[in-house]
Amino acid sequence: MEGWAAIGRACVRRATFVRGQRYSILPALTYEGIIALDIFEGSVNKEKFVQFLEEELAQHLTPYPGPRSVVVLDNCAIHHDEIVRRIIVDECGWSHQS
């Protein structure tokens, strides 16, 4: 991008920002690589995240201490939902230890 302005004046370019369609990626990574992946239009919400866990990730998980038995999530609000806990703990055969 180029422009010019009088000496002592800032060069200003005004343009309207056109926002395109948003895409989101939900990956599940292990030391072996990606084991589950979902790419879709729109933002991640609770429903999309739960769907990813149920349909893409849960089938690859094993009970602790087996391979792929630990799921690390950040502090995002949707990660703290009871449904997420149920999918990971109950459906994958994990025991919850306090």
Side-chain angles (χ1 to χ4, degrees):
M1 177 183 325
E2 292 184 43
W4 68 272
I7 295 175
R9 308 277 302 204
C11 179
V12 177
R13 178 176 185 265
R14 299 193 191 281
T16 303
F17 181 73
V18 179
R19 189 179 294 255
Q21 179 61 41
R22 176 179 298 225
Y23 288 86
S24 294
I25 301 173
L26 287 173
L29 308 171
T30 72
Y31 68 91
E32 298 169 324
I34 296 172
I35 60 169
L37 178 69
D38 192 9
I39 302 172
F40 54 91
E41 287 187 41
S43 298
V44 177
N45 57 28
K46 175 184 161 185
E47 290 73 29
K48 283 283 192 184
F49 185 66
V50 167
Q51 180 181 4
F52 171 73
L53 290 177
E54 291 177 331
E55 296 176 7
E56 303 294 332
L57 183 60
Q59 63 190 326
H60 298 286
L61 301 176
T62 62
Y64 184 81
R68 297 179 313 278
S69 63
V70 175
V71 177
V72 178
L73 302 169
D74 64 15
N75 205 25
C76 180
I78 61 176
H79 297 163
H80 295 276
D81 194 277
E82 179 61 25
I83 294 171
V84 172
R85 188 206 62 79
R86 180 189 52 80
I87 293 168
I88 294 173
V89 175
D90 297 343
E91 290 186 14
C92 297
W94 295 1
S95 63
H96 179 70
Q97 297 177 1
S98 299

